[in-house]
Every structure is written in structure tokens, then in C-alpha cells.
Amino acid sequence: MSTQLHSLKPFNTFNLNAMAANIVIAETAEEMVFVWQKSLADRQPVLLLGEGSNVLFLEDYQGTVLVNRIRGIAVRESDDDWHLHVGAGENWHNLVEYTLEKGLAGLENLAMIPGCVGSSPIQNIGAYGVELKHVCEYVDILDLSSGKIQRLTAQECQFGYRDSIFKHKYQTGYAIIAVGLALKKAWIPVITYGDLIRLDAEKVTPQQIFDAVCYMRTSKLPNPKITGNAGSFFKNPVVSAEQAALLKARFPDAPFYPQRDGQVKLAAGWLIDRCDLKGFTIGGAAVHRQQALVLINQQEATGADIVALAHEVRQRVGTKFNVWLEPEVRFIGALGEKDAVGVIA
């Protein structure tokens, strides 16, 4: 366990130069429990962090940032599945590459999603027709007050669109320490989104899907190591069938994705783009020119710059379409997480 006193810039993909009173990198559950309990005893706030790929620091953090680096990948097989037990501190994209190298298919659509494995169930990450809930078997959580470990089944995780029980009941006082995945041996390719529809379902391989997804993401999304960003800043809004019908009458070229519950998912990037916001800047923050769904740290942006930009985007989309975007990114204030919608409303 190492303790550091320095900038949070290496720990958030927006590359914001926020500061923390203390930063601790933990490699075991015992270390996490110790730091959590000591922080509470010292009456200091504590923030759990993976790779900081889905956070926006609004200001300096006044407590301890506890960075989860619990690693390890174990694989076992059953008659129908490959079962993986993955430490929460493993890098998600590295895991996708690892499975392909081992001949285990099922994660290829989720290539290049930034962040740690432990963050994947919180957001129920998804891309190109696949969500974590489709492959998740269980999530192991650590009660930081007692040190006890509990295993939640995928059903108990209450996965929704960019949502889970980890944003609610288990948001505070618990840490995800491992994720269990089940990958079907009888692999069925998912090629229903983007350029994947051009692939031949009869001949396509997992590696070809992986390569296509990587190409699409790198051609549209900025590399956070070069240009600070947190990927998709806003959730794709889900509206009623009635509201979707009204929008379709006004904007027949808009993308619409019917959901199983009768509602319709819209493309937030398309909505932002139709408000002519690509390249729009406030301070050091900007709307990315290739993908309007991404807000970037263009030139030494502050958290306040990005908040102001997000507010302007939300207002313009809301005024034009009567659809009010919600951030996918977590907003972190001086003492902890804040309601992102409330901040930018």
C-alpha cells in the first residue's frame, strides 16, 4: 500500500489538475478496509476510485481518494460456459484482450471502454449491442465498515440502462472487489450496431468484431492520454413511444432505438450535433468535433469550464427537442459525489 500527496491529474481521464488531501493506492481488500475505517475515525471524507474514467472533479477533494488496484484473473470452465473471476482493479480493455488471446469470446463488442473492471457493473457498461448484464454472473462487494464480503448475483445487481444497485443501496460504504463473468462456449456474434452490420454473421470471428469496434472507437473518440475526456458525457435519453413519435414527425432522420418496455432510446450525440455544437467551447472545455457526445479538456480546462459547457449543451438540446440530457459522468465535489443533473440544470 502506498500513500501519496499530489495532484489527481494522473487519476482522472479528464486530466483535470484537481488536488486531494490524500491518495492511497490499495491492492487488497484489507488495505481498503483499513483506509476507510481510519478516514472515518479521523472524520475525513473518502472517495473510492478506479481509473477515474467516469468522474469529473468539480474542485479540490478535501479527503482521501482510495484507488482500487485489486488484481487477478481466474478462469474455470463448465459444460456450457467459461467462468471468469476478475479483480476489480484490472483494466477493462486489457481483460477483453486477455479473453480473446485465450480463445474466450463474448466481450469483443465492449473493447476500448475505459476504466477498471470494478467500475463496469456500476454503470452497466455497454456498447454496440452488448451490456455487462449480458455476461455478468456475480459481483463481490466489500462492506468497508465490517470487512465482510458479499456476493450478489447478476439479478440482485438490478442492472438497468447505465444503472445498477451500486448507484443506490451499495453506493456508500461498499467497494466492488471482483466481478464474475460467464462467457458462452456457443458464441453468437452481435453485429447489429454501427459498421458491425456490414460483417457476415456466418463467417465473422470475435477478433474481427474486436478490430472493427476498436477502429470505430479510435476514429470517433479522442484518446484521453492526449486529449482529456471521460468518453460519453451524457446518457442516451430514453423517452416514451408518444414523445418519440412526435420527434420522428419533426425529425424523420433521427436515430430511434425501440426498447423492450415500449420506450424508445434516442442518440444523445445526434441531438447535440443537430444543435450545431460540435467544436463549441467555454473556457478550456469543448464539444468534440468528431463525436458530439464527448466533452473534452481542450486547453487546461477546469471543472467549472466543463460544467458550464454541459449546462449549455443541455439547455440547447432541451429547448430544441424538449429532451433533457443527463450526465453519465459522476460529479465529485470537495466532500464527495454531487447530483450531476442538479449541478448543470
Side-chain angles (χ1 to χ4, degrees):
M1 179 170 62
S2 59
T3 303
Q4 305 167 342
L5 291 168
H6 58 57
S7 168
L8 285 166
K9 193 170 185 177
F11 298 96
N12 75 100
T13 59
F14 259 121
N15 296 329
L16 298 180
N17 198 25
M19 306 296 288
N22 197 23
I23 299 173
V24 177
I25 299 174
E27 298 179 355
T28 67
E30 291 76 16
E31 290 172 354
M32 297 190 75
V33 170
F34 174 80
V35 173
W36 177 270
Q37 294 182 355
K38 185 178 187 303
S39 296
L40 292 187
D42 294 341
R43 297 185 178 181
Q44 292 293 317
V46 57
L47 173 70
L48 299 179
L49 203 63
E51 293 187 355
S53 62
N54 198 49
V55 297
L56 172 64
F57 286 104
L58 306 177
E59 53 199 328
D60 291 344
Y61 187 70
Q62 294 182 7
T64 294
V65 172
L66 178 55
V67 181
N68 186 338
R69 287 294 178 266
I70 299 174
R71 301 189 187 276
I73 303 174
V75 182
R76 64 178 180 86
E77 72 174 298
S78 61
D79 290 343
D80 299 322
D81 302 285
W82 296 101
H83 303 271
L84 285 76
H85 179 87
V86 189
E90 292 285 347
N91 175 271
W92 176 265
H93 180 69
N94 290 349
L95 171 66
V96 177
E97 291 183 312
Y98 172 90
T99 58
L100 288 175
E101 290 168 2
K102 297 294 183 182
L104 316 179
L107 300 183
E108 55 281 343
N109 293 59
L110 302 176
M112 293 197 73
I113 294 179
C116 286
V117 169
S119 302
S120 63
I122 300 174
Q123 287 288 106
N124 181 28
I125 61 170
Y128 301 105
V130 176
E131 294 183 346
L132 182 83
K133 68 178 182 181
H134 298 141
V135 294
C136 182
E137 192 167 27
Y138 60 81
V139 176
D140 287 348
I141 59 172
L142 174 67
D143 185 329
L144 293 162
S145 297
S146 68
K148 293 181 179 179
I149 296 172
Q150 179 182 354
R151 176 162 292 180
L152 300 181
T153 65
Q155 185 175 4
E156 290 172 327
C157 292
Q158 298 178 15
F159 290 125
Y161 174 61
R162 299 297 177 268
D163 196 26
S164 69
I165 198 169
F166 309 109
K167 287 189 173 184
H168 306 283
K169 180 179 179 181
Y170 295 113
Q171 183 179 26
T172 304
Y174 296 86
I176 294 172
I177 59 170
V179 177
L181 305 173
L183 305 181
K184 296 291 182 185
K185 290 182 176 178
W187 176 70
I188 300 175
V190 179
I191 50 175
T192 54
Y193 279 76
D195 293 344
L196 298 182
I197 62 176
R198 301 175 185 170
L199 300 174
D200 185 342
E202 299 297 323
K203 298 179 181 180
V204 70
T205 66
Q207 186 67 44
Q208 287 172 331
I209 293 177
F210 172 87
D211 292 341
V213 168
C214 290
Y215 176 79
M216 286 188 288
R217 293 187 74 95
T218 53
S219 64
K220 296 177 181 178
L221 301 174
N223 184 342
K225 294 179 180 179
I226 299 172
T227 304
N229 73 93
S232 299
F233 192 89
F234 295 100
K235 299 176 185 177
N236 286 320
V238 179
V239 300
S240 68
E242 292 78 13
Q243 186 174 0
L246 292 173
L247 286 168
K248 197 168 187 66
R250 293 175 57 204
F251 307 98
D253 61 329
F256 294 90
Y257 304 100
Q259 305 297 293
R260 291 180 181 177
D261 60 3
Q263 293 186 301
V264 178
K265 185 188 294 184
L266 309 177
W270 186 92
L271 298 173
I272 299 168
D273 190 13
R274 289 309 179 273
C275 293
D276 298 320
L277 283 165
K278 281 184 177 176
F280 181 79
T281 64
I282 291 182
V287 178
H288 188 49
R289 291 184 180 277
Q290 277 70 51
Q291 172 51 271
L293 191 53
V294 178
L295 305 188
I296 62 173
N297 177 357
Q298 183 167 267
Q299 188 173 12
E300 297 183 5
T302 64
D305 290 341
I306 295 169
V307 167
L309 180 62
H311 169 81
E312 185 65 21
V313 170
R314 186 174 192 264
Q315 292 299 315
R316 292 202 192 183
V317 170
T319 299
K320 183 166 185 172
F321 297 101
N322 194 30
V323 174
W324 298 90
L325 299 178
E326 297 183 4
E328 185 174 314
V329 175
R330 298 170 59 204
F331 284 26
I332 309 299
L335 301 176
E337 187 163 358
K338 292 190 172 183
D339 171 42
V341 173
V343 172
I344 68 168

